[in-house]
């Protein structure tokens, strides 16, 4: 069933966004490998993170889920049990790639697979370094899911990553937990560092020297409770909506502002955005409240090392660019082609339906913004971030719009439309 969106005059109010997806996944994974119980508050009850819970339950981990918290009863580094069935990772690249790293070092065989989108996403990038560590993994056609993993004794490696990807980095480091000797990864540019921060918190020795990260395999990991901050990737939809709708003024409470995730704030500020960081706090993962007010945006260039710091926000940044005066160039973003959908093709096609001037390039988009745009019937490509980005766009278009498959937002943000409507009604 499609969802109808009408033009919004302005958005006002105070909201919170659901917990960070990357941190929620890792809290369950690392909690399962730790000694003791991990109490997780603010856990994202999105479909992707529920896929992670389901996979670890299939390996014998007791996980209690209530409205207040998730409790992971850790089995220790060597406590996972052989699953009696396939581990199904749904739509989640993070579950698939990080879990594969963990499974590579287990004394039992396993098979991983996910939905139609996961079956198209490249797995060769993790298979190659895991093979170098001695892992026994086979992928369909060498590069795709399903992944079949057999027991193997792993060796630490030193690996120069061809892409800046936190999923790749984490997959290798997690395999390194079970390897003989140290494992070092070198990134072409810094990607999100939640794995490093959280493993350190559990007692592992993880040394970062610029973009070179070295893990020494620990004897044990010790459970530590996790209070998951709000996801800046989810906040991004309201940041852009608040910027492009007249007289808007929104406060988003308790948003994670780990510097490896704040590229969206830097990019929007370079476009003239008025975004304030209030009440900065937090230790392992820094947090603040964000206040955004409608601003006159202008075009910018987004490329280079900032890309991994805003990779998931590029679809909604493209929407901001369509409402900004002048030219915005997004480049060095080839990775967008291998996300839940080809996000370069998807956003170019969907923004074009509104009359926006958008050209697809090899590694991004060129957008000439500032025209009046009109509503349209949008396709989501079963991609949560495309659906939410086009919902934000629809609010600032003249006339009604619709979005097919609005339910796909449940991957990362099940209450997205409710929160959006709460701001409209104020
Ligand atoms: C994630 C890393 C990013 C991001 C994804 C979550 C993670 O993917 O797009 O939504 O939790 O490590 P890549 O590392 O493959 O770029």
């Amino acid at each position: 069933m499609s969802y109808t969106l009408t033009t919004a005059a302005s958005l006002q109010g105070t909201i919170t966004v659901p917990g960070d997806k990357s941190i929620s996944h890792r809290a369950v994974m690392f909690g399962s490998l730790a000694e003791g119980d991990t109490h997780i508050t603010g856990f994202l009850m999105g479909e992707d993170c529920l896929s992670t819970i389901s996979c670890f339950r299939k390996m014998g981990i007791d996980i209690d889920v209530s409205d207040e918290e998730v409790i992971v009863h850790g089995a220790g580094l060597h406590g996972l049990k052989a699953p009696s069935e396939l581990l199904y990772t749904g739509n989640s690249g993070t579950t698939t790639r990080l879990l594969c790293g963990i499974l590579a070092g287990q004394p039992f065989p396993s098979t991983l697979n996910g939905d139609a989108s996961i079956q198209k996403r490249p797995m060769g990038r993790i298979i190659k370094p895991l093979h170098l560590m001695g892992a026994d993994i086979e992928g369909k056609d060498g590069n795709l899911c399903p992944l079949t993993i057999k027991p193997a004794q792993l060796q630490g490696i030193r690996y120069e990553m061809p892409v800046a990807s936190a999923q790749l980095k984490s997959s290798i480091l997690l395999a390194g937990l079970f390897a003989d000797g140290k494992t070092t990864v070198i990134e072409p540019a810094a990607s999100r560092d939640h794995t490093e921060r959280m493993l350190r918190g559990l007692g592992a020795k993880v040394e970062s020297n610029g973009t070179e990260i070295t893990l020494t395999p620990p004897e044990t990991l010790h459970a530590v409770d996790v209070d998951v901050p709000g996801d800046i990737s989810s906040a991004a939809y309201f940041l852009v909506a608040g910027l492009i709708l007249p007289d808007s003024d929104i406060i988003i409470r308790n948003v994670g502002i780990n510097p490896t995730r704040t590229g969206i704030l830097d990019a929007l500020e370079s476009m003239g955005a008025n975004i304030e960081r209030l009440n900065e706090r937090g230790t392992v993962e820094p947090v603040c409240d964000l206040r955004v007010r409608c601003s006159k945006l202008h075009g910018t260039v987004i490329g280079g090392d900032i890309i991994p710091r805003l990779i998931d926000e590029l679809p909604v940044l493209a929407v901001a660019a369509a409402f900004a005066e002048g030219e915005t160039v997004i480049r060095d973003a080839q990775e967008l082609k291998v996300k839940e959908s080809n996000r370069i093709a998807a956003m170019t096609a969907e923004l074009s339906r509104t009359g926006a001037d958008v050209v697809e390039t090899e590694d991004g988009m060129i957008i000439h913004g500032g025209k009046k745009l009109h509503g349209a019937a949008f396709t989501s490509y079963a991609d949560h971030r495309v659906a939410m980005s086009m919902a934000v766009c629809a609010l600032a278009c003249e006339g009604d719009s619709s979005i097919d498959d609005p339910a796909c937002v449940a991957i990362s943000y099940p209450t997205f439309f409710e929160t959006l409507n709460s701001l409209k009604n104020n």
Side-chain angles (χ1 to χ4, degrees), residues 20-28 40 43 194 198 226-229 261 285:
D20 187 277
K21 184 154 76 70
S22 295
I23 297 174
S24 295
H25 281 300
R26 287 162 173 77
V28 170
I40 310 169
F43 183 81
H194 307 299
M198 292 172 79
V226 181
D227 186 15
V228 182
R261 296 288 299 282
E285 290 284 352

Side-chain angles (χ1 to χ4, degrees), residues 21-23 25-26 94 97-98 121 125 164-168 170 191-192 194-195 311-312 335 339-340 343 385:
K21 184 154 76 70
S22 295
I23 297 174
H25 281 300
R26 287 162 173 77
T94 306
R97 296 202 177 104
L98 271 60
R121 298 182 67 184
R125 58 178 60 188
S165 156
Q167 292 180 358
L168 171 56
S170 303
S191 66
R192 65 192 67 192
H194 307 299
T195 295
I311 189 74
D312 291 343
E335 276 294 296
K339 292 294 177 186
E340 286 83 327
R343 289 180 174 161
R385 301 211 187 277

Side-chain angles (χ1 to χ4, degrees), residues 361-383:
T361 64
E362 247 316 285
D363 60 353
M365 283 173 252
I366 300 174
I367 301 164
H368 289 101
K371 287 209 288 177
K372 275 209 181 313
L373 305 184
H374 54 79
F378 299 120
T379 302
S380 65
Y381 308 84
D383 183 333

Side-chain angles (χ1 to χ4, degrees), residues 193-367:
D193 66 356
H194 307 299
T195 295
E196 297 92 302
R197 287 175 187 242
M198 292 172 79
L199 285 180
R200 269 184 213 120
L202 301 184
K205 187 170 171 201
V206 183
E207 294 155 294
S208 298
N209 181 4
T211 50
E212 179 169 324
I213 302 124
T214 300
L215 170 105
T216 304
E219 289 288 315
T220 51
L221 296 174
H222 300 285
V224 174
D225 292 345
V226 181
D227 186 15
V228 182
D231 198 327
I232 193 166
S233 299
S234 298
Y237 303 105
F238 300 104
L239 293 177
V240 172
L243 287 169
I244 64 178
L245 290 170
D247 303 322
S248 293
D249 189 349
I250 307 172
I251 293 179
I252 314 167
R253 289 214 192 282
N254 196 39
V255 181
I257 47 164
N258 175 319
T260 60
R261 296 288 299 282
T262 49
I264 176 72
L265 302 180
D266 298 345
L268 289 172
E269 275 157 12
S270 81
M271 298 171 81
N274 179 347
I275 301 173
E276 278 177 88
R277 301 180 191 204
L278 309 169
N279 307 317
E280 290 195 35
R281 55 199 184 269
T283 47
V284 177
E285 290 284 352
V287 167
C288 76
D289 305 326
L290 292 173
R291 180 177 185 187
V292 59
R293 277 173 282 187
C294 176
S295 309
K296 201 166 162 29
L297 299 181
H298 53 78
T300 189
V301 178
I302 303 167
D305 286 359
I306 198 172
I307 294 294
R309 296 178 53 236
L310 48 62
I311 189 74
D312 291 343
E313 293 70 73
L314 282 167
V316 78
L317 258 176
V319 173
F323 290 96
E325 279 303 320
E327 182 180 87
T328 295
V329 179
I330 298 172
R331 61 177 184 227
D332 307 317
Q334 307 86 318
E335 276 294 296
L336 281 187
K337 293 183 185 170
V338 291
K339 292 294 177 186
E340 286 83 327
S341 70
N342 176 340
R343 289 180 174 161
I344 296 179
M347 290 307 297
T348 304
E350 298 315 299
L351 282 173
S352 298
R353 290 185 202 272
T354 67
D357 181 351
V358 188
V359 178
E360 176 175 353
T361 64
E362 247 316 285
D363 60 353
M365 283 173 252
I366 300 174
I367 301 164

